[in-house]
Amino acid sequence: MALESPSKTQPDALADCANEPIHIPGSIQEHGFLFAVEEPDLRIVQASANVREYLGVAVEEVLGRTLGELLPERDLPAMLGALTQEEQNPIYQGDVTLGPRQQTFALFMHRFGGVLIVEFEAPVDSRLGLNTLYPMVRVFIEQLHQAETVDAIAKLAVREAKRISGFDHTMIYRFDEDGHGQVLAEECDPGVPSYLGLRFPASDIPAQARRLYLANRIRVIGNAYYQPSPLQPQTNPLTGQPLDLSFAQLRSVSPVHLQYMRNMGTLASMSISIVVGDRLWGLVLCHDRQPQRVSFQTRTACELFGRVLSLQIDAAETHAESDRRLALRQSMVQMLSTMADRDSVCQGLLELPQVFLDFARAQGAAIISSDGTELIGQVPPREVVDSLVEWLSVNVKDHFVTDNLAKDIAELPQLAQHAAGVLAVPISELHSHYLIWFRSELVQVVNWAGRPTKQEGSDGRLSPRQSFVLWQETVRGLSLPWSPLELESAIELRNAVRGIVLRKAEEMAELAEELQRSNKELAAFFLQRVPRPAGAAAPHCRLCRAAGRHRGRQAVGPGAALPGEHRFVGTLRRQPGGQPAELLADGASRDPLFRRQSHRPGGSHPRRDGAGLCRAAGGVAHRPPACRHRRCRLRPSRLAQSAGQCHQIQSLRRAGGDRDRHLAERFRGHHLCPGQRRRFQHGLCGQAVWRLPAPAPCR
């Protein structure tokens, strides 16, 4: 490829090479000729210059004529009807005889870019016919089912490709994430240089060439010294653009690539694309030290071979990925089950340190949570890990992955001294909590097929490297790359951990709510069982036993207390919001309020009416309202004085006494209406603390 000026630098020359429009070369290879035809009248608007050599007429005499004049005996409408809109590759339309020498040509047609392209390919003496090629491909397909790994498939494929094509050297060439290619398997004749295990730089096959390999799955160069035949005119009259030959069989190739082949000692080549999914996985390369044409029948068999090979490699990789995904899921389930049984995520992961490391094929890990920073395996010092966490919280919103720490986190040079790769996923949306895996440096010795640089000559032309002898490069500072599956699994683990944390938080909230409800019920129980000032309550077990001993033995009246019950007093503490927080048993001597009321002159006990409660608790117990029964004449003060007898009434009722008789005895002299009497019978007299029935004594 000629450069615009010899003063260009090497990067500029490489950029020009990478941007070379190889799909519109403006010329074809010499083993055939080509027409660009306008439809529907099939008038020839472009032709290759070598029509004189094959047809014996000048290009100017061909332009403007119709295809029907050139092929009078062919059914052109039927040929055109066989072309479909979906199919862009050339379709074989049979053999035709043309020219003064009555030479036979293979006829191909295809439409692309709104132009009908007709190609005439010179005949080839093929040693293999369709009757021989089909059994060969069938045997290969049967053998593929026995190969389970990609390496086994590659070894089988190169042997079969050599047998079908007849070339003296075949290779399986695989691309990595950076675009570099590596030879996985090869089959060659004695004396042919071996490239097994060697790498070829990504610049050997630029991006536009890869796109073309992805679209057109087979390309043949019969002779590296061929003389290209230009198209006339160079611009297509129908489109006003150069003719796009992306799918043409005779498309010419870049002069740089031809020089590349000659430097390798290769004079003929055939490339078969291996497409997995929608990406160019690799190539089957067939080289020969002598010029070699490939017949249409052989190309068809090789294209079918390449498509079957692509499917088998896709299946093998999918199977291997499924096995790896299953192993990751098993490790994840093991870790999650352990975390669910522990109080925290950190404790669960620390129970399975090796599983946690093997999950990401890492040598070290760190768990940053509310419990602190926990380190596992080969990790940087704690202060360096803390610096990494701070950097992540500032610079990264979600997950972070790198296999080159020195390059991607230049702000922390001390981190690269202890690790080369990092995978970090956050487990909290509010705090700087992370799961981090570390990978150690993996020193690699890369075996290149020659020094991976192109050279620029004194004439300004870019030239490929002259030698393909082994050239080694030592690469440092990198770790084993993180696979997309490992990153996906780490994110899935992060989501599961967040779910566990959320569930534990919900359980704690539910437990707190249950405890709060239990405290309320416990407080209500004590206040109902033994009413006394709201600041004091008695432990129910001891109090009930005391109440049981004296039940029925001593008459109780308004304002009286059960014997000994003042000795069991507790303190009911309240939170600022007024909700009970805890109930503590204590002696009466520690309660100044109760002690002061219990030892008044005369030895009388504190009054148990609603008014007394209200005065003792400072307004906590509300004054009971007047009865709303229409026949009730009892004032609120009288009702409050009577409220303290609910406990004794219920105790006597449970003891089997007559309710009416006890009511008459206890409330003789009080004017109670029927509604108030029913309230006392059911323990619902006037005050919230009396609404629950008094429980039975503890045994």
Side-chain angles (χ1 to χ4, degrees), residues 266-284:
T266 299
L267 298 185
S269 73
M270 179 174 62
S271 303
I272 306 170
S273 301
I274 303 176
V275 180
V276 174
D278 56 353
R279 63 185 177 91
L280 184 63
W281 185 93
L283 297 171
V284 179

Side-chain angles (χ1 to χ4, degrees), residues 13 150 501 532 534:
V150 173
V501 173
R532 57 179 69 249

